[in-house]
């Protein structure tokens, strides 16, 4: 079913519980890019280097990666609503504490706790939205993807607006919004039924024994290194005011949302998932290479344009990870995310280090190489990846009540 046609079941006619969860999801995804426009301000305010401040992403995503082994274990035992509330509560506490930090070490530590809460929340949100949504899973998927794109776009904007006064305010603002989300979910969301089978901590690792899933995870690992070089390192290269940097990454997020929700499915239908993914990865490599060597204006344009390729890649990788193996999709998702989010933790740490060891251009060369490496894995492992990949539709993932974190 096409979620954009009238048969999708009334996207806007959803219960209050769905809107409460979707609204909280927007804020959760905002937290990923929130610090982008204020990274230079944080470095100045805490007398920290670029590599030290970039650890805000490293700690966040390192905890997120490890938490992927835990989220299914937790939600299959305490249920979806309690898992959402636990995640939101952790974000409220640690985002608030982040705003009080007196050193970059404290901020990095609080950001790690924030990452744990966010992982618990977003890894459960789609299952809850699908369980409570009216109009079928296609409408629920579209609503969730829209929340993801809106959050990724608005995070840098909120960071810029609040961060222009003080780098501390975006953290306090996020804590407040997530507290509102906590109250809304408490009031409007009914408890979801627990899964029939409890997930063990080792199930996601066992699922990676499947060649197709392992190939998708490895390719996504390389891709995520490129993705988070753009997200975490580019703000230092652009060296703009919070407002200007926020505007750049807002435009980036808008392209990410449009290409993820609208363009990618149409390209997949016409050319096939693997061709689209391979081509998009190569184009992303070219884009970041030009970003690294171009003028300041060129760097701004390429940063925004990268959102289009990232949006396409996110959608295709999600479907591959959820359909390429015979493992239960919640388990396959956890194993896949466990691998790929380590790259999201690595890129913010290594990119500024590589600049210190060489020059400002080389981190983007490395990012281009990793994007091409992801495409090479897709080509070499095509037979392993093609199992059901071309026939997948996003609704299949929803029917198993699972999402891939941040797509």
């Amino acid at each position: 079913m096409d979620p954009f046609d009238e048969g999708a079941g009334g996207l806007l006619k959803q219960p209050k519980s769905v809107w409460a969860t979707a609204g909280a999801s927007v804020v959760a995804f905002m937290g990923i890019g929130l610090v982008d426009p204020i990274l230079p301000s944080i470095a100045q305010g805490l007398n920290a280097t670029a590599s030290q401040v970039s650890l805000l992403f490293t700690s966040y995503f390192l905890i997120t990666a490890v938490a992927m082994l835990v989220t299914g274990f937790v939600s299959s035992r305490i249920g979806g609503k309690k898992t959402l509330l636990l995640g939101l509560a952790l974000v409220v506490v640690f985002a608030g504490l982040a705003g009080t930090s007196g050193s970059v070490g404290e901020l990095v530590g609080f950001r790690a706790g924030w990452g744990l809460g966010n992982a618990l929340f977003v890894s459960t949100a789609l299952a809850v939205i699908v369980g409570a949504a009216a109009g079928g899973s296609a409408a629920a998927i579209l609503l969730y993807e829209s929340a993801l794109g809106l959050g990724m776009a608005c995070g840098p904007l909120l960071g810029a607006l609040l961060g222009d006064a003080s780098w501390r305010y975006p953290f306090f603002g996020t804590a407040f919004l997530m507290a509102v989300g906590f109250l809304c979910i408490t009031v409007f969301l009914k408890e979801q039924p627990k899964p029939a089978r409890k997930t063990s901590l080792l199930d996601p690792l066992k699922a990676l024994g499947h060649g197709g899933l392992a190939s998708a995870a490895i390719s996504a690992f390389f891709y995520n290194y490129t993705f988070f070089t753009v997200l975490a390192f580019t703000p230092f290269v652009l060296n703009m005011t919070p407002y200007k940097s926020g505007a750049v990454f807002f435009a980036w997020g808008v392209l990410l949302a449009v290409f993820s929700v609208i363009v990618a499915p149409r390209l997949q239908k016409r050319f096939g998932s693997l061709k689209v993914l391979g081509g998009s990865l190569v184009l992303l490599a070219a884009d970041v290479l030009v970003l690294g060597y171009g003028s300041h204006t060129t760097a701004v344009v390429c940063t925004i344009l990268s959102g289009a390729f990232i949006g396409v890649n996110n959608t295709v990788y999600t479907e591959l990870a959820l359909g390429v193996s015979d493992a239960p999709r919640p388990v396959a998702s956890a194993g896949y995310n466990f691998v790929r989010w380590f790259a999201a933790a690595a890129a913010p740490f290594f990119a500024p280090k590589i600049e210190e060891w060489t020059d400002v251009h080389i981190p983007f060369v490395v990012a281009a190489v990793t994007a091409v490496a992801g495409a090479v894995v897709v080509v070499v492992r095509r037979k392993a990846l093609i199992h059901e990949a071309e026939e997948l539709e996003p609704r299949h993932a929803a029917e198993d009540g699972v999402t891939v974190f941040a797509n």
Side-chain angles (χ1 to χ4, degrees):
M1 182 193 303
D2 185 348
F4 293 95
D5 65 30
E6 294 181 358
L11 176 64
L12 299 179
K13 297 179 180 179
Q14 298 296 336
K16 292 179 181 179
S17 58
V18 173
W19 288 116
T21 307
S25 297
V26 171
V27 181
F29 291 122
M30 285 170 63
I32 296 177
L34 180 80
V35 299
D36 258 31
I38 57 172
L39 286 174
S41 299
I42 293 173
Q44 183 178 4
L46 295 177
N47 296 316
T49 65
S51 60
Q52 288 175 321
V53 173
S54 293
L55 290 175
L56 292 174
F57 284 99
T58 297
S59 63
Y60 184 90
F61 288 114
L62 185 62
I63 295 299
T64 295
V66 176
M68 285 302 154
L69 302 180
V70 179
T71 52
F73 178 89
V74 172
S75 63
S76 65
R77 285 163 173 77
I78 68 174
K81 180 177 180 178
K82 291 179 180 177
T83 304
L84 289 180
L85 292 176
L86 175 60
L88 287 170
L90 288 172
V91 173
V92 169
V93 170
F94 284 104
L97 288 173
T100 68
S101 300
S103 68
V104 71
E106 287 183 8
L107 186 55
V108 168
F110 294 141
R111 180 77 167 166
W114 183 346
L116 174 60
N118 223 41
L120 288 169
F121 176 82
V122 299
S123 65
T124 312
L126 178 57
V128 171
I129 289 175
V130 170
S137 58
I141 285 287
L142 178 59
L143 184 62
Y144 180 83
E145 291 287 349
S146 300
L148 185 156
L150 185 62
M152 292 292 284
C154 291
L157 199 60
L158 178 67
L161 292 174
L162 297 179
D164 188 59
S166 170
W167 65 263
R168 299 180 187 274
Y169 291 168
F171 298 109
F172 294 139
T174 300
F176 173 77
L177 291 173
M178 290 304 252
V180 172
F182 184 97
L183 292 175
C184 290
I185 288 176
T186 300
V187 173
F188 296 119
L189 180 64
K190 296 180 180 179
E191 182 57 78
Q192 305 294 297
K194 297 179 183 178
R197 177 182 176 275
K198 294 181 179 179
T199 302
S200 78
L201 294 175
L202 293 179
D203 283 349
L205 297 178
K206 293 177 181 177
L208 288 170
H210 184 278
L213 182 61
S215 299
I218 292 170
S219 178
F221 176 90
F222 288 121
Y223 156 66
N224 268 259
Y225 186 96
T226 308
F227 178 177
F228 285 93
T229 296
V230 173
L231 191 62
F233 182 66
T234 302
F236 291 106
V237 176
L238 297 180
N239 193 28
M240 303 167 77
T241 65
Y243 276 124
K244 291 182 179 179
S245 183
V248 168
F249 279 95
F250 174 73
W252 169 87
V254 169
L255 276 186
L256 187 154
V258 170
F259 275 74
S260 177
V261 176
I262 300 175
V263 177
R266 286 159 172 72
L267 290 175
Q268 288 175 272
K269 185 177 180 180
R270 180 170 181 179
F271 299 107
S273 295
L274 298 186
K275 289 181 180 178
V276 169
L277 181 59
S280 182
L281 286 168
V282 171
L283 290 174
L284 177 61
D287 181 78
V288 297
L289 199 59
V290 175
L291 192 164
Y293 280 93
S295 65
H296 188 269
T297 300
T298 301
V300 169
V301 171
C302 288
T303 299
I304 295 172
L305 183 60
S306 70
F309 306 124
I310 289 170
V312 170
N313 293 338
N314 286 349
T315 295
V316 181
Y317 272 120
T318 296
E319 296 184 21
L320 282 179
L322 295 179
V324 74
S325 77
D326 296 326
R329 282 166 176 162
V331 174
S333 171
Y336 163 80
N337 277 294
F338 175 73
V339 173
R340 74 168 185 143
W341 284 113
F342 277 110
F349 175 78
F350 284 111
K353 288 292 185 183
I354 292 171
E355 180 195 14
E356 293 174 8
W357 299 331
T358 55
D359 60 51
V360 72
H361 307 297
I362 303 303
F364 294 101
V365 174
V366 175
V369 170
T370 55
V372 171
V376 169
V377 173
V378 170
V379 173
V380 173
R381 298 290 296 168
R382 179 179 177 82
K383 290 184 178 179
L385 289 168
I386 205 166
H387 174 60
E388 294 185 0
E390 303 298 327
E391 290 77 29
L392 276 176
E393 293 185 17
R395 66 175 181 270
H396 295 166
E399 289 164 354
D400 282 312
V402 62
T403 182
V404 175
F405 172 68
N407 223 16

